[in-house]
Amino acid sequence: MASIFSKTLRQCSYKGVPFQAAAVTKTIQRRQVLHEYPQRDIPYLEDLGKGATLYKVTAFLVGDNCVAQAKRLEKALLTVGAGTFVHPWDGALTVSVYQASNISYSNSELRYCSLDITFVEAGELGYPNKLADGPTLARQLADKLGLSAVSDFVESFKQAAAYQLVQAAINGTLLETLGIISDAEIAQILGFVDEVTTFAEQAIGLLTDEPRSFAEKLSSVLGLARFASVETRWSGIVNQISQLTTSEELNRRTNQFAQIPAVVSNIETESLQDSAAVETLTRQLLLANAIGASTLIGTELDTADTVSARSAASDSASPASATNAQTDSTTTYGQDSNSVTTSVDELLEVRDHLIASIDNELQNPLISDDLFINLLRARSAVFSILTSKAEGLSRLLSIETPQIEPSLVLAYDYYDDASRSDEIETRNRVIHGAFCPSELRILSK
């Protein structure tokens, strides 16, 4: 006699085809990997998430039409796609048929057939969410690097104003560092020499009294976001910053502090540490700006000429925030005198220089764990962005013409397009388009 509980059980079916179930086994699991290490007695069990749920059904069909019922169920089991399986206890479930199902007939039981079916919960084809594209991620990391550089400086700077010798050494490092920046070509191109000079006049007082204000002001002075919508030679700017951050002048005190002997006095140690902190802050701020500027390489804003950008600058302290005006498409062939296509050789050269400068900073003994991780992420982003932009670009070739010819003739001979004469002139710094030198560098296509 059936119990009251059995009357509450649901009728089994799959895709609307009913059948009887003698037993249903539900298999649940979590995916785990056991790691066992040499010389360690305690293993580590790594959890990889929930595993697929399996339903093993021992089913049967009875009656004079059991063969017809079996054929209907067989057709449903072979139909492509997931379907609804009504579980006697769990109710309606969306599943797919997994592995093989067995349908058994017996001469001793002519009005009966049995089935062994294995269902698995239906999955879905999902892709990772694209939270940010490569250039956006690089700009975000550039912002984080700038903020981390300021915070690290405040923590590592000792503010040893009690010792005149220490203070004099720090001031000398500061003025020398700012002088290197103001003399650099990038300051001339973007026109912030006066800002650096003005900041140098008040920097010593800020450094002694308010190290954070000093660091934030320096970040503002060196920030390139106000030039983010300016057409200039961004590939050249990134190259210059890369060379500047790896130069001996901006790494001298940092290297000395990394190799300081144990017998040095506390005053000398503190002096060298503070001087190295000033150098490190400057390098890291420059590097953050280079990472942000690398997203402009190969865009419509990356031209062949190093145009002064002071008049077009906007007020922003972040190296990567004001970038709404940019596009990430590669530059087209020369449409005007300033436009030129970037070659794969030039792009990969800039990438390698920037990666080398990041690697150099990763070896800095003053770097924090947070900044170290962000630098590694930025390194990966820069490599991915510039490598992707290099795909499909033309190679740079060196050619030698038998005689001096006009750029119009050369453009027509090599490209069947006389309008690309400006590109040849710009790339080779030709003084007059009618007289191109016999040795030239041109794109392969």
Side-chain angles (χ1 to χ4, degrees):
M1 181 177 179
S3 66
I4 297 176
F5 179 76
S6 65
K7 294 180 180 179
T8 64
L9 297 180
R10 300 169 181 85
Q11 168 68 46
C12 280
S13 67
Y14 177 66
K15 291 188 177 180
V17 182
F19 57 89
Q20 306 299 323
V24 180
T25 302
K26 181 180 181 179
T27 303
I28 58 175
Q29 61 179 328
R30 291 197 66 81
R31 294 173 292 129
Q32 296 176 324
V33 177
L34 180 64
H35 300 278
E36 295 181 288
Y37 303 96
Q39 307 304 319
R40 283 183 57 182
D41 297 333
I42 301 176
Y44 167 63
L45 189 63
E46 182 181 9
D47 188 279
L48 302 181
K50 176 182 172 297
T53 301
L54 301 177
Y55 299 90
K56 295 183 179 180
V57 183
T58 303
F60 64 92
L61 298 167
V62 294
D64 294 335
N65 63 342
C66 66
V67 175
Q69 293 180 56
K71 289 187 179 297
R72 285 181 59 204
L73 185 56
E74 178 183 349
K75 183 178 180 180
L77 294 173
L78 292 175
T79 303
V80 177
T84 300
F85 163 52
V86 178
H87 190 289
W89 286 269
D90 292 347
L93 304 168
T94 302
V95 299
S96 295
V97 179
Y98 186 62
Q99 296 180 337
S101 298
N102 301 318
I103 302 177
S104 302
Y105 300 93
S106 173
N107 287 332
S108 60
E109 300 172 321
L110 297 179
R111 299 176 64 251
Y112 174 91
C113 66
S114 62
L115 304 94
D116 294 318
I117 310 171
T118 302
F119 295 115
V120 62
E121 64 177 327
E124 60 181 7
L125 183 60
Y127 299 94
N129 291 328
K130 191 174 182 181
L131 299 178
D133 59 6
T136 301
L137 177 60
R139 294 166 199 150
Q140 292 172 349
L141 289 170
D143 284 334
K144 289 182 179 179
L145 288 172
L147 294 174
S148 296
V150 171
S151 299
D152 290 354
F153 172 77
V154 175
E155 291 182 8
S156 61
F157 190 73
K158 298 300 182 182
Q159 305 180 51
Y163 305 105
Q164 292 184 357
L165 178 62
V166 174
Q167 194 62 43
I170 298 171
N171 293 344
T173 301
L174 173 60
L175 294 176
E176 181 182 344
T177 301
L178 294 177
I180 293 171
I181 295 174
S182 63
D183 292 340
E185 186 179 353
I186 179 178
Q188 309 290 334
I189 295 171
L190 297 179
F192 56 79
V193 177
D194 293 341
E195 292 181 56
V196 176
T197 304
T198 303
F199 174 67
E201 298 174 357
Q202 56 180 335
I204 294 176
L206 283 175
L207 184 61
T208 305
D209 301 330
E210 300 179 72
R212 178 171 291 277
S213 297
F214 162 79
E216 291 174 348
K217 179 63 176 176
L218 181 60
S219 176
S220 176
V221 170
L222 299 181
L224 298 184
R226 57 192 187 277
F227 308 115
S229 59
V230 174
E231 292 186 5
T232 188
R233 187 168 172 260
W234 287 106
S235 53
I237 287 175
V238 173
N239 256 341
Q240 292 168 34
I241 296 177
S242 300
Q243 294 170 6
L244 197 58
T245 56
T246 55
S247 65
E248 183 182 353
E249 292 82 0
L250 282 185
N251 288 271
R252 183 183 300 113
R253 275 87 175 181
T254 307
N255 294 333
Q256 290 174 355
F257 179 71
Q259 301 170 4
I260 191 170
V263 296
V264 174
S265 67
N266 291 337
I267 297 178
E268 292 177 289
T269 301
E270 193 169 297
S271 171
L272 199 52
Q273 179 176 344
D274 283 353
S275 297
V278 172
E279 271 188 355
T280 296
L281 172 66
T282 306
R283 282 197 317 274
Q284 291 173 354
L285 291 177
L286 287 171
L287 199 53
N289 281 282
I291 292 169
S294 68
T295 63
L296 299 175
I297 297 175
T299 70
E300 295 173 353
L301 299 176
D302 188 19
T303 65
D305 291 347
T306 51
V307 185
S308 177
R310 169 176 281 277
S311 59
S314 60
D315 295 329
S316 175
S318 163
S321 57
T323 51
N324 295 331
Q326 314 131 5
T327 59
D328 291 320
S329 59
T330 54
T331 1
T332 55
Y333 290 117
Q335 303 296 323
D336 52 58
S337 59
N338 293 331
S339 177
V340 69
T341 304
T342 302
S343 71
V344 61
D345 308 79
E346 293 166 328
L347 205 55
L348 294 182
E349 181 183 7
V350 175
R351 181 201 67 184
D352 293 343
H353 285 166
L354 183 52
I355 291 295
S357 64
I358 294 175
D359 290 342
N360 177 71
E361 193 58 34
L362 287 172
Q363 301 175 28
N364 181 4
L366 294 177
I367 193 172
S368 65
D369 292 343
D370 181 60
L371 202 145
F372 184 89
I373 293 173
N374 284 329
L375 268 179
L376 283 179
R377 292 173 178 169
R379 185 186 193 279
S380 176
V382 166
F383 184 89
S384 176
I385 292 168
L386 297 185
T387 303
S388 297
K389 287 184 177 182
E391 293 178 359
L393 293 182
S394 304
R395 288 283 179 182
L396 200 59
L397 304 177
S398 296
I399 64 169
E400 186 172 351
T401 58
Q403 59 187 7
I404 295 176
E405 294 182 346
S407 59
L408 284 170
V409 175
L410 293 171
Y412 187 80
D413 287 345
Y414 284 95
Y415 302 123
D416 291 331
D417 184 1
S419 65
R420 294 182 64 178
S421 60
D422 290 340
E423 178 188 337
I424 295 176
E425 295 175 21
T426 303
R427 187 179 300 281
N428 294 277
R429 302 179 185 274
V430 176
I431 298 175
H432 195 287
F435 305 97
C436 291
S438 58
E439 294 183 0
L440 297 169
R441 301 181 74 195
I442 64 171
L443 293 178
S444 59
K445 58 182 180 180

